């Protein structure tokens, strides 16, 4: 049924993405594609991969933005994947029941065998989390790596989404955002984690941690070495060469 | 939004078909029509053909048309599903109307009930079509209270022009058939102009700043895109070709959909049979062109909030 679960999920699994530490390396997107090309939604399209216009399904896309201007301007790398919303509009618009939100852990999934490929869910999502597979004729999306996080064949340390496992800067955190004492919930509370586009009222599970304020003293304002040193060996050389310039 | 031709054809053809059936059913129910079975046969077969062709066309853009039957299951939450259910239910009174009007040559009793249920179910179906778009919050220009009523009014108006054309061919055009068409067109025009004014003056619902949460630093601009070539999201939601011509296309819509047809329809009543029929044909052709442009614009003018991540400033 594509109605949302009547009861709030006991667990709300999701990601916390730290915009302050993300270095924009795209490793999360690459590892996501690598894992999911063989996972729940396998295979993922990869048309013209080495050509002029490569095209295909990606569950995770990394934007880079400039914000502000002058000394206060920032460059922010901005990974974006499914936010596994509590009030997921992609689920309720689905006419077939293929798109659903799990009552047990809040993960939003597509059951490919029921999907008619009408694309309405991708229209309903404000965040662009769903991408149509033109080859299979069905909609695909981030599964929060359900085939990793519950996979008992993996070491426990590896039971996290592929994007989280691979991030070299630890900018991505995975956990239960429904539990106020979980590491991710504490991180959100400490750092002021926020929702993307709250005016869409989707109540996303994933949170973004803001870019920190600049540290005082850091930045491009420290002076260079003095060009006319007083005293010492360099001062003597400077004086000598200054006099010699008269020759 | 990318205007898929199959969807433009589906929404305009089914709107016209349901409008035609609804107006004809009202005329039959009210006893305003001569009991000519041939007239009924043509009106109903054209109406059913348009509705059915529209529904079939809507399955052409599906990735898996063979699974389309599944779309009838989620009527509790999905307007697309509700539309499918309503469309199938609407065939029932239309069949009853056809039986009474064409086969029995008398619309009374249960067949009269079918005649009165036809416009109700036709309107419900077209309302559901409109709500598919109006329910999408991520597309602010569609998420507007006038949208479903625009679909209903335009379906009724285009259907009424089609109905006037058919009765004119039978030499039965009169003030009533013309009046319904003109009133329907004018009502749709008022709604459409009000809708355009409203979306043109509305404040943006979301901005690049709220989409990224980076507004605290100031203006947000894309620096590097996620990929080197346009992706599905940009192709499907980022369509902008008609938007730059929107002003001109709106004027063409006003003329072809709301100016030429009511004038031709009104004049056709006072003309003789041949001139009247010719005027009704011109009105119908003009409406056909106008409604296609109107629907294309409806898609092309709609800005999806996901484009805020790809350089659009506000939506």
């Amino acid at each position: 049924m594509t109605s949302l679960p009547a009861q709030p999920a006991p667990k709300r699994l999701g990601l916390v993405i730290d915009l302050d530490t993300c270095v924009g390396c795209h490793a999360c997107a690459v590892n996501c594609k690598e894992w999911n090309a063989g996972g729940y939604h396998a295979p993922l399209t990869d048309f013209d991969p080495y050509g002029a216009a490569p095209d295909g399904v990606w569950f995770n896309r990394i934007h880079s933005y400039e914000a502000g201007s002058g000394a206060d301007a920032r460059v922010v790398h901005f990974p974006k994947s499914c936010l596994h919303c509590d009030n997921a509009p992609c689920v309720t618009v689905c006419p077939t029941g293929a798109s659903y939100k799990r009552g047990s852990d809040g993960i939003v999934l597509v059951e490919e065998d029921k999907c008619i490929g009408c694309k309405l869910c991708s229209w309903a999502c404000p965040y662009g989390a769903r991408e149509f597979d033109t080859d299979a004729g069905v909609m695909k999306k981030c599964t929060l790596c359900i085939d990793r996080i519950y996979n008992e064949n993996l070491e426990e340390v590896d039971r996290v989404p592929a994007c989280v496992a691979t991030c070299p800067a630890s900018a991505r955190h995975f956990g239960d955002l429904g539990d106020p004492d979980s590491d991710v919930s504490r991180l959100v509370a400490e750092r002021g984690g926020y929702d993307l586009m709250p005016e869409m009222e989707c109540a996303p599970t994933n949170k973004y941690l803001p870019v920190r304020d600049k540290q005082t003293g850091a930045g491009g304002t420290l002076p260079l070495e003095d060009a006319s040193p007083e005293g010492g060996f360099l001062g003597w050389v400077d004086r000598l060469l200054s006099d010699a310039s008269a020759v | 939004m990318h205007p898929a031709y199959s969807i433009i054809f589906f929404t305009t053809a089914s709107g016209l078909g349901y409008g035609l059936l609804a107006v004809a059913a009202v005329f039959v129910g009210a006893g305003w029509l001569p009991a000519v079975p041939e007239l009924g046969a043509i009106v109903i077969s054209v109406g059913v053909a348009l509705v059915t062709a529209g529904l079939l066309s809507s399955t052409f853009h599906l990735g898996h048309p063979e699974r389309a039957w599944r779309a009838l299951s989620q009527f509790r939450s999905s307007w697309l599903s509700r539309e499918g259910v309503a469309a199938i239910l609407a065939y029932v009174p239309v069949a009853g109307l056809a039986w009474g009007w064409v086969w029995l040559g008398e619309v009374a009793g249960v067949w009269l009930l079918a005649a009165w249920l036809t416009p109700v179910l036709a309107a419900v179906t077209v309302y559901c079509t409109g709500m598919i778009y109006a329910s999408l919050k991520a597309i602010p220009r569609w998420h507007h209270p006038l949208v479903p009523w625009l679909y209903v009014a335009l379906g009724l108006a285009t259907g009424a022009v089609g109905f006037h054309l058919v009765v004119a061919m039978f030499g039965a055009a009169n003030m009533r058939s013309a009046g319904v068409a003109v009133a329907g067109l004018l009502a749709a025009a008022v709604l459409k102009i009000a809708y355009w004014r409203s979306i043109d003056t509305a404040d943006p619902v979301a901005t690049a700043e709220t989409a990224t949460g980076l507004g605290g630093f100031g203006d947000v601009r894309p620096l590097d895109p996620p990929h080197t070539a346009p992706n599905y999201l940009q192709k499907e939601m980022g369509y902008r070709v008609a938007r730059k011509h929107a002003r001109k296309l709106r004027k063409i819509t006003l003329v072809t959909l709301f100016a030429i047809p009511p004038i031709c329809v009104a004049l056709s009543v006072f003309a003789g049979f041949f001139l009247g029929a010719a005027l009704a044909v011109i009105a119908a052709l003009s409406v056909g062109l106008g409604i296609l442009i109107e629907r294309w614009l409806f898609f092309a003018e709609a800005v999806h909030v996901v484009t805020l991540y790809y350089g659009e400033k506000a939506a």
Side-chain angles (χ1 to χ4, degrees), chain A residues 1-2 55 61-66 68 92-93 95 97 112 115-117 122-123 125 136-137 194 197 199 201, chain B residues 63-64 67 74 76-78 137 205-206 210 212 217 219 221 223-224 226-227 232-233 235-237 304 309:
Chain A
M1 198 73 211
T2 51
D55 192 9
R61 291 187 182 266
I62 321 306
H63 300 252
S64 293
Y65 295 104
E66 271 183 323
T92 51
V93 297
E112 279 185 35
C115 177
I116 58 174
S122 68
W123 293 8
C125 174
Y194 63 89
M197 247 190 290
E199 56 273 38
E201 295 173 338
Chain B
H64 281 279
R67 298 177 188 161
Q74 304 302 308
R76 279 192 281 171
S77 73
S78 166
K137 212 171 191 171
V205 173
T210 64
T212 57
F217 297 110
D219 176 46
R221 307 170 297 280
L223 183 65
D224 279 325
H227 284 79
Y232 164 74
L233 302 169
K235 291 174 195 164
E236 183 77 5
M237 328 287 179
H304 195 291
Y309 293 105

Side-chain angles (χ1 to χ4, degrees), chain A residues 26 28-29 32-33 55-63 78-81 128 131 172 208, chain B residues 226-234 310:
Chain A
H26 293 235
C28 54
C32 166
K33 180 96 176 186
D55 192 9
V57 173
W58 292 73
F59 297 161
N60 190 8
R61 291 187 182 266
I62 321 306
H63 300 252
F78 192 91
K80 186 161 60 61
S81 52
E131 299 200 7
R172 304 178 72 99
Y208 283 73
Chain B
H227 284 79
T228 51
N231 60 33
Y232 164 74
L233 302 169
Q234 288 158 288
Y310 291 90

